Amino acid sequence: MSFLLILTTFLVATSAQTEADALLKWKKSLYQSAALASWSTRNSTSHCSWFGITCDPAGNVVQISVQSSSINGTLDSLNFSSFSNLVSLNLSDNILQGSIPSGISNLSKLNSLDLGTNSFGNFVPPEIGDLSELVYLSLFNNNLVGPVPSQLSRLSKVRHFDLGHNHLNNTEYSNFSAMPSVLYLSLFLNNLTGFFPQFILKCTNLTYLHLSQNAFFGPIPASLANLSRLRELHLGTNNFIGGIPSVLSLISGLRVLELGDNSLGGPLPSSLSQLKFLERLDVTNARINSTIPPELGVCTNLNYIHLASNQLSGPLPFTFVNLTKMRLFDINSNNLSGEIPGHLPDSLSQLPNLYYFSVFTNNLTGTIPPDFGRNGMLQHVDLSYNSFFVPTGKAFKDDSPHAYVGNPGLCGDFQGLISCYAANKNSHSHHKILILVFLLIAGVVLLLAIILAILVFSRKKRVEKIEIERANKDVTNSIWERDGKFSFSDIVNATDNFNEVFCIGQGEFGSVYKAELSVGQVIAVKRIQAQDAEDVQDINKKSFENEIRALTEVRHRNIVKLHGFCLSGDYMYLVYEYLEKGSFSDVLYGSQGERELDWAMRVKVIRGIAHALAYLHHDCTPPIVHRDIKLNNILLDSEFEPRLSDFGTAKLLGLGSTSWISMAGTYGYMAPELAYTMQFTEKCDVYSFGVVALEIMMGQHPGDLLSSLPSVSSSLENDLLLKDVLDQRLTPPPPPPPDNWLKKWFFYSR
């Protein structure tokens, strides 16, 4: 019995050593990678503690997960036969090249293979079809070519099948009919041709289907309705014809329907109104030639409608006012006529989430609703090339002429437009007035030229004086809040002309005052010095402009609200909502840090700032980079809900998603790469957010911790424990319940 135990122990140790040697040999063939620093012969007997390596209780490697680690090289020297117990291999989002080795078929127990977003070339190895236990397969976004091997049809257990964004060509799909269990299927952006693949119609458990940007042709099969579990259907940018099958409405759980950039023709079926859960409808440039069915107004979950570049005609259905979740509405370049629904209690102007509204190049008429665009979210409006009248008063936040050009009956109180009063006059009388005005101007132009030549030097000073007086007058009479609740004079009275008694803070760019207005509203006012040394003045002005440019474009619960701004005399003013708790830095390092900031409250603050940054980086166009994420720029309301503030150094990214800058931000929070690349992206904010998150959980700035961790291996030698770095003023949070990583993976992959 003892002999068997010794033999078993020897075999396990030998297997572990073989696995460690195989990993070290592969690492040696790669270009230098900091992520694999812990893979070292010094601790080869404990390879289970290496980065990205997970072992079972017997010491066998069961998971290799080193995604997003900039690993550069090939898989040629990785001996797959050494990992007989491996169940998960994830090398996605790296720089791996060459071919996918056929030896990968030796991983007989593998159930998850993710090699997506690399630079693998050549063909898809047919040996992958021998991985009979495979449930998750992703080769997305590589440079793979050739047909899809028919051997992959043997993967009867696969549920996630993603070969998208490669250079594969047409293949024989009939071989794949043995894959009914697949839930996620993506052949997106390949060179696939032919009719709609019939094997897909047998995948009855399918929930996600993405065949966009290929060259499929022929009709969309009506039997797609049999895929009753389908949630997303992407068939855009192909050559499908024959109209939109009305039976698609039988897929009751469908949330995304994307059929744009095809040659479908025919009507937009009214039966789509049966898709109660539909959130996104994209049929742009599909040669649809009907009216917009008013029945779509019952799909109250719709938040994205893109019907541009078709032959749609008739009026815009009034039932669309029921789509209160609508965020984007684009029906440009059609033949729609009639008026935009308005002047009624439930008008388009009351869609609370609408931020993009484009109807240019149609035949729409009538007067634009005067309250349209006052919902606080609308960022883009394009009404050009129709037959609109614009009402008097300011109806939109962006009143630039390009949004209204091409409307022959256009009038309104906008710069460059004729007033609606003048537009209603008799055209003959109008011409006579114009001739008279022209003659009067011609008669005095010579006299004006002489006067202007004499007064050329004094005119400049007079203009400057007039502009200053006009600016002061505009400040006094300007309405700060959109609904006219208060003016600048109310702020002056509330702060006793900015008496220091009302000052609640001072920063690099100015002082902040608390103002309790007579209407009962409490606000915070930042006053910035406008007249100073030339270099300081330029910095202050740039900060003032950045703050306005950023905060007038954003609307988010975790970003401080800007009520108004102006320039008066020697100062520039910015007016914000007042946050009762003030700076998070003062709260964390004050007495409240121990008394009120428990772990749940700190996680709440971190989550709120994460949501704000996700909004700035992904929901704003162009994206906004804050560049100075730190505790002092996080404010708290009475419920400890965070607000990100101080956008004085913020930048708007262009199409390239990067920019070259001078140094900005706060040392200790800036990403290290800025010191030598001077190039900023959204990742700079993400690094600063990581420092802030650590500081909140530690109760102190993590600078010492970061400088003491030069490598993963050294941190292991120092026996650094989580409980030692958490804020010692609080009781450590309880550990999470034990969990099986494989069960968790299956849960999230369903």
Side-chain angles (χ1 to χ4, degrees):
M1 190 70 178
S2 60
F3 172 75
L4 292 176
L5 179 62
I6 294 173
L7 179 60
T8 302
T9 304
F10 173 76
L11 292 176
V12 170
T14 303
S15 175
Q17 186 62 45
T18 300
E19 292 173 340
D21 291 342
L23 291 172
L24 290 173
K25 180 179 179 181
W26 181 52
K27 175 192 173 185
K28 187 176 180 180
S29 71
L30 300 173
Y31 293 96
Q32 186 175 3
S33 174
L36 304 184
S38 62
W39 293 19
S40 171
T41 55
R42 293 180 301 169
N43 55 359
S44 60
T45 58
S46 59
H47 65 284
C48 295
S49 63
W50 291 356
F51 169 75
I53 304 300
T54 303
C55 298
D56 61 14
N60 299 309
V61 175
V62 294
Q63 181 180 16
I64 301 176
S65 180
V66 285
Q67 70 273 25
S68 304
S69 301
S70 301
I71 296 177
N72 192 345
T74 70
L75 293 179
D76 296 340
S77 61
L78 182 58
N79 186 3
F80 292 106
S81 61
S82 300
F83 303 95
S84 58
N85 294 286
L86 193 67
V87 296
S88 177
L89 177 60
N90 187 347
L91 302 177
S92 61
D93 197 14
N94 283 295
I95 320 174
L96 293 171
Q97 305 160 24
S99 301
I100 300 175
S102 60
I104 201 169
S105 61
N106 292 317
L107 304 177
S108 59
K109 295 183 179 180
L110 199 67
N111 58 44
S112 175
L113 175 60
D114 191 346
L115 302 179
T117 313
N118 279 285
S119 298
F120 288 115
N122 217 325
F123 300 93
V124 178
E127 289 80 5
I128 291 181
D130 297 332
L131 301 175
S132 59
E133 299 298 318
L134 208 58
V135 175
Y136 183 103
L137 172 62
S138 176
L139 304 180
F140 171 79
N141 196 20
N142 280 284
N143 297 314
L144 299 171
V145 298
V148 180
S150 61
Q151 289 86 344
L152 297 191
S153 64
R154 299 200 297 262
L155 302 177
S156 60
K157 295 183 179 181
V158 72
R159 304 176 74 181
H160 182 111
F161 187 86
D162 192 347
L163 302 182
H165 212 297
N166 280 287
H167 304 287
L168 304 170
N169 54 36
N170 195 17
T171 189
E172 179 56 52
Y173 296 107
S174 60
N175 298 315
F176 292 85
S177 59
M179 302 171 60
S181 62
V182 65
L183 300 179
Y184 178 108
L185 175 60
S186 174
L187 300 175
F188 162 70
L189 194 55
N190 284 291
N191 295 317
L192 304 176
T193 62
F195 291 102
F196 188 94
Q198 294 300 304
F199 86 94
I200 294 177
L201 303 176
K202 298 181 181 180
C203 300
T204 54
N205 292 316
L206 197 64
T207 61
Y208 179 101
L209 177 58
H210 199 331
L211 302 181
S212 296
Q213 298 193 43
N214 283 288
F216 292 118
F217 54 82
I220 298 174
S223 51
L224 265 176
N226 296 328
L227 304 181
S228 58
R229 299 186 179 183
L230 205 59
R231 296 296 176 267
E232 295 193 22
L233 177 59
H234 300 263
L235 303 179
T237 316
N238 280 286
N239 297 312
F240 288 119
I241 60 174
I244 302 174
S246 60
V247 294
L248 293 182
S249 61
L250 299 178
I251 311 175
S252 58
L254 199 64
R255 287 174 169 81
V256 176
L257 179 59
E258 190 264 305
L259 306 174
D261 294 305
N262 279 289
S263 301
L264 293 171
L268 191 63
S270 60
S271 60
L272 295 181
S273 61
Q274 300 176 30
L275 301 175
K276 304 301 182 183
F277 298 98
L278 191 64
E279 299 175 0
R280 180 186 179 103
L281 176 62
D282 188 346
V283 198
T284 183
N285 192 28
R287 300 186 181 180
I288 303 300
N289 51 16
S290 67
T291 60
I292 300 177
E295 291 83 357
L296 284 180
V298 303
C299 299
T300 54
N301 287 301
L302 269 173
N303 58 65
Y304 181 104
I305 293 183
H306 201 334
L307 305 176
S309 302
N310 284 290
Q311 290 91 46
L312 294 170
S313 59
L316 184 63
F318 183 78
T319 55
F320 275 22
V321 300
N322 299 322
L323 305 179
T324 56
K325 295 182 181 180
M326 182 68 63
R327 300 184 70 241
L328 182 146
F329 185 76
D330 189 352
I331 57 171
N332 72 75
S333 304
N334 279 286
N335 298 315
L336 296 171
S337 58
E339 299 186 2
I340 294 179
H343 303 292
L344 293 173
D346 295 324
S347 66
L348 281 178
S349 60
Q350 294 186 352
L351 296 180
N353 298 303
L354 189 64
Y355 80 92
Y356 186 103
F357 185 80
S358 176
V359 295
F360 71 84
T361 314
N362 278 284
N363 299 313
L364 296 170
T365 61
T367 301
I368 300 167
D371 55 348
F372 186 63
R374 294 187 183 275
N375 57 13
M377 287 291 293
L378 199 59
Q379 300 295 319
H380 177 89
V381 176
D382 196 337
L383 309 172
S384 59
Y385 298 100
N386 282 282
S387 299
F388 286 123
F389 284 88
V390 178
T392 58
K394 185 174 182 180
F396 306 101
K397 289 178 289 187
D398 179 10
D399 59 353
S400 55
H402 77 271
Y404 315 116
V405 297
N407 289 279
L410 195 63
C411 68
D413 293 343
F414 294 100
Q415 182 179 3
L417 302 183
I418 187 173
S419 70
C420 294
Y421 174 77
N424 292 328
K425 287 189 174 184
N426 182 274
S427 59
H428 181 69
S429 300
H430 182 65
H431 291 161
K432 291 175 64 176
I433 294 174
L434 290 178
I435 293 173
L436 179 60
V437 172
F438 176 77
L439 292 176
L440 290 175
I441 294 175
V444 300
V445 66
L446 182 60
L447 180 61
L448 288 177
I450 297 174
I451 295 175
L452 289 175
I454 297 174
L455 300 178
V456 65
F457 296 102
S458 60
R459 180 179 179 276
K460 182 178 179 181
K461 294 183 179 180
R462 291 177 58 194
V463 171
E464 291 177 351
K465 182 178 179 181
I466 292 173
E467 291 298 329
I468 293 174
E469 292 176 351
R470 182 181 300 170
N472 291 333
K473 180 180 179 180
D474 290 342
V475 166
T476 303
N477 298 323
S478 63
I479 300 300
W480 290 62
E481 194 72 15
R482 289 186 181 88
D483 52 6
K485 288 184 179 179
F486 61 88
S487 65
F488 181 76
S489 60
D490 295 329
I491 298 174
V492 175
N493 294 333
T495 58
D496 193 14
N497 198 18
F498 298 97
N499 192 305
E500 292 300 316
V501 175
F502 298 90
C503 183
I504 58 175
Q506 290 185 335
E508 181 180 357
F509 295 109
S511 301
V512 181
Y513 296 83
K514 177 182 178 181
E516 299 183 7
L517 304 177
S518 57
V519 295
Q521 186 175 2
V522 181
I523 57 176
V525 184
K526 180 189 286 188
R527 185 169 72 162
I528 305 172
Q529 183 77 33
Q531 302 296 332
D532 207 326
E534 184 176 353
D535 55 343
V536 176
Q537 179 180 347
D538 291 341
I539 294 175
N540 289 350
K541 184 177 180 181
K542 185 175 182 181
S543 173
F544 178 76
E545 294 173 348
N546 280 347
E547 196 90 5
I548 296 170
R549 186 181 300 110
L551 291 182
T552 53
E553 296 293 328
V554 301
R555 292 292 185 277
H556 195 276
R557 63 175 298 182
N558 295 117
I559 297 177
V560 67
K561 179 180 180 182
L562 178 68
H563 289 301
F565 56 90
C566 77
L567 174 64
S568 176
D570 296 338
Y571 294 95
M572 298 174 287
Y573 297 89
L574 295 165
V575 180
Y576 308 90
E577 64 176 322
Y578 176 74
L579 283 307
E580 293 82 356
K581 296 292 184 181
S583 166
F584 185 75
S585 177
D586 296 337
V587 176
L588 179 64
Y589 294 116
S591 59
Q592 297 181 83
E594 178 179 1
R595 187 174 65 254
E596 298 181 326
L597 283 180
D598 56 14
W599 294 117
M601 199 65 70
R602 298 186 189 204
V603 171
K604 176 182 179 181
V605 174
I606 294 174
R607 185 188 299 114
I609 299 305
H611 288 169
L613 288 179
Y615 172 81
L616 293 173
H617 294 172
H618 304 294
D619 292 341
C620 293
T621 305
I624 298 175
V625 180
H626 186 280
R627 294 210 297 160
D628 197 13
I629 306 296
K630 60 183 179 180
L631 292 192
N632 285 337
N633 290 339
I634 300 173
L635 306 179
L636 302 177
D637 65 13
S638 58
E639 300 298 327
F640 288 89
E641 187 69 27
R643 304 284 198 282
L644 187 59
S645 67
D646 199 350
F647 284 69
T649 59
K651 286 286 186 180
L652 278 66
L653 289 182
L655 295 177
S657 298
T658 60
S659 183
W660 299 91
I661 59 165
S662 58
M663 293 292 287
T666 302
Y667 289 102
Y669 296 90
M670 289 190 296
E673 61 266 29
L674 284 178
Y676 57 90
T677 66
M678 304 300 287
Q679 185 181 27
F680 78 91
T681 66
E682 297 96 329
K683 294 181 180 179
C684 300
D685 279 354
V686 175
Y687 179 91
S688 301
F689 168 77
V691 176
V692 167
L694 284 174
E695 186 173 2
I696 293 175
M697 306 310 289
M698 295 172 60
Q700 61 181 352
H701 191 277
D704 294 337
L705 173 66
L706 297 177
S707 62
S708 65
L709 296 175
S711 68
V712 177
S713 59
S714 63
S715 66
L716 294 174
E717 296 172 358
N718 293 332
D719 295 329
L720 184 64
L721 300 178
L722 176 62
K723 66 183 182 65
D724 295 331
V725 299
L726 293 178
D727 195 339
Q728 301 301 308
R729 296 178 295 176
L730 301 180
T731 303
D739 195 7
N740 183 291
W741 68 269
L742 190 54
K743 290 182 179 179
K744 179 182 289 186
W745 179 87
F746 273 110
F747 176 80
Y748 284 109
S749 66
R750 287 182 298 176

